[in-house]
C-alpha cells in the first residue's frame, strides 16, 4: 500500500509508520501556541481499502502533528 509500512504484532496491535503518502489528504491546520510555544499543525488522512491487508472493513487513518520551529 503506498504511503504506509504496516507491521503486525501480538494480539491486535497494528503499527503504521507513515511516510509521504501518494494517496491521501493533507490539511494545514495553521499556527497556534501550545503552552506559550508557537506551533504549526498538519493533518493527513488516509484509508486502507477493505480486503487490502485481510481487513473486512476499510480502515481510516488520521495523523495530526504539531511542529515548533522554535524547538527544532
Amino acid at each position: 500500500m503506498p504511503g504506509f509500512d504496516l507491521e503486525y504484532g501480538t494480539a491486535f496491535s497494528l503499527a503504521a509508520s507513515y511516510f509521504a503518502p501518494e494517496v491521501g489528504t493533507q490539511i494545514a491546520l495553521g499556527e497556534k501556541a501550545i503552552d506559550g510555544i508557537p506551533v504549526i499543525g498538519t493533518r493527513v488522512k488516509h484509508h486502507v481499502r477493505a480486503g487490502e491487508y485481510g481487513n473486512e472493513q476499510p480502515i481510516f487513518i488520521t495523523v495530526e502533528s504539531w511542529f515548533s520551529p522554535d524547538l527544532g
Side-chain angles (χ1 to χ4, degrees):
M1 178 175 91
F4 287 87
D5 179 24
L6 299 175
E7 297 176 20
Y8 296 93
T10 57
F12 182 73
S13 64
L14 172 68
S17 19
Y18 181 77
F19 58 94
E22 296 171 15
V23 178
T25 304
Q26 183 169 343
I27 301 166
L29 299 176
E31 299 179 13
K32 69 176 186 177
I34 297 177
D35 291 335
I37 300 170
V39 294
I40 302 168
T42 304
R43 179 182 298 136
V44 178
K45 293 183 177 184
H46 195 78
H47 75 278
V48 178
R49 290 181 287 280
E52 195 158 345
Y53 286 94
N55 49 313
E56 293 180 7
Q57 300 291 320
I59 299 171
F60 297 96
I61 302 164
T62 302
V63 177
E64 185 173 307
S65 61
W66 293 90
F67 171 77
S68 173
D70 292 353
L71 298 177

